[in-house]
Amino acid sequence: MNPRLGLLYPTRDCGEDDFADLCRRLDPAIDLDFAYPEWDPGIGDVEDLDAAGQAAAVRALGAPESLTKAADGFAVPPDVVSWACSSCSFTHGLDGAREQADALSAHLGVPASSTSLAYLAALDRLGVDRVALASVYHPDLTAVFAAFLAEAGVTTVHSVSADAGSDRALATWDADRIRDLATAADHGDARAVLVPETALHTTPSLAELEERLGKPVLTATAVTVRHALDLAGATRERGGLGTLFAATGDGRRPNSSAR
């Protein structure tokens, strides 16, 4: 099966090419399409908001009615859809993230998820319940993501918060900066390092990051695509793309907390 993946993405012309890069590297490659929810025009420039204002803005963008409206913008109906924004899903809590996915699935009639739910699926797949967070967010928002993970029984043993600003700024980060963030976040008690931001260009560095840290490094791009493929019933295994796309091994447990 060669599914068409539909991604709802928060900010145009930021990290879409990283998703496209990953999908091209799979064998066979998968088709990809994007649609974009509309930010509330009354908020002005998101970069000018304080931490509380930004949190409110991303929550509003992730409202189920905003997502279903945007999903009508896909050029071709997808076989599976995902809300490819970490913060716009985890700020709604676990039940809220599930509500987003359920609304999209009911609206389009296909399986649906989000980056936040995809993180839970990836951790379930690997049997990991202790993580480190390489966060680009303000510390307050990093704490919200840690609380989201805790709802699913995942403990954050260490985190760093880069407080890095806008999606457009993050899209310019190079591999060295991403590596330095992941390295700073790592901790001996963490069984995986999470890099929860879909504007970062992480695909070219997946193998290098894991080799350097000696453990799974779960990027937002990788978990989003992996979970979407699982929901579509499409298996893709490819070397050089990190643990999630390596050949199936033992020790994986059923995906439960993502739903």
Side-chain angles (χ1 to χ4, degrees), residues 27 29 97 108 133 194 207-208:
D27 187 18
L108 294 175
L133 302 184
L194 279 52
E208 177 195 350

Side-chain angles (χ1 to χ4, degrees), residues 171-190:
T172 68
W173 279 32
D174 61 17
D176 289 345
R177 196 167 181 184
I178 295 169
R179 182 195 63 228
D180 290 347
L181 179 68
T183 302
D186 191 22
H187 188 280
D189 291 338

Side-chain angles (χ1 to χ4, degrees), residues 210-247:
E210 293 199 347
E211 182 177 358
R212 181 182 183 87
L213 299 184
K215 65 187 62 175
V217 177
L218 304 180
T219 69
T221 300
V223 300
T224 302
V225 173
R226 173 76 259 186
H227 193 215
L229 290 172
D230 287 344
L231 291 175
T235 300
R236 295 289 189 279
E237 296 174 353
R238 180 68 185 268
L241 294 177
T243 300
L244 287 182
F245 293 96

Side-chain angles (χ1 to χ4, degrees), residues 40-205:
D40 181 352
I43 66 172
D45 193 332
V46 177
E47 294 182 54
D48 294 334
L49 300 175
D50 61 16
Q54 290 180 2
V58 299
R59 279 185 55 82
L61 188 67
E65 58 271 21
S66 171
L67 301 181
T68 55
K69 179 180 178 181
D72 292 331
F74 287 118
V76 177
D79 298 304
V80 60
V81 64
S82 188
W83 175 210
C85 180
S86 304
S87 59
C88 297
S89 46
F90 70 67
T91 51
H92 288 254
L94 183 53
D95 287 343
R98 289 169 172 163
E99 182 182 358
Q100 291 173 336
D102 289 343
L104 285 168
S105 184
H107 187 71
L108 294 175
V110 300
S113 186
S114 69
T115 300
S116 295
L117 293 178
Y119 265 112
L120 301 185
L123 294 170
D124 258 358
R125 167 182 283 273
L126 300 176
V128 169
D129 60 4
R130 296 176 66 81
V131 302
L133 302 184
S135 169
V136 299
Y137 309 128
H138 184 278
D140 290 348
L141 196 54
T142 302
V144 175
F145 185 44
F148 173 86
L149 296 172
E151 284 191 78
V154 177
T155 299
T156 299
V157 299
H158 185 243
S159 67
V160 294
S161 299
D163 196 11
S166 71
D167 288 348
R168 298 200 185 283
L170 290 164
T172 68
W173 279 32
D174 61 17
D176 289 345
R177 196 167 181 184
I178 295 169
R179 182 195 63 228
D180 290 347
L181 179 68
T183 302
D186 191 22
H187 188 280
D189 291 338
R191 297 185 58 202
V193 175
L194 279 52
V195 188
E197 173 53 56
T198 58
L200 294 174
H201 291 73
T202 55
T203 294
S205 304

Side-chain angles (χ1 to χ4, degrees), residues 14-38:
C14 282
E16 297 100 320
D17 50 343
D18 194 53
F19 283 97
D21 184 15
L22 177 55
C23 290
R24 280 194 302 268
R25 294 179 187 226
L26 299 176
D27 187 18
I30 61 173
D31 296 325
L32 179 64
D33 194 11
F34 291 92
Y36 302 89
E38 295 182 3

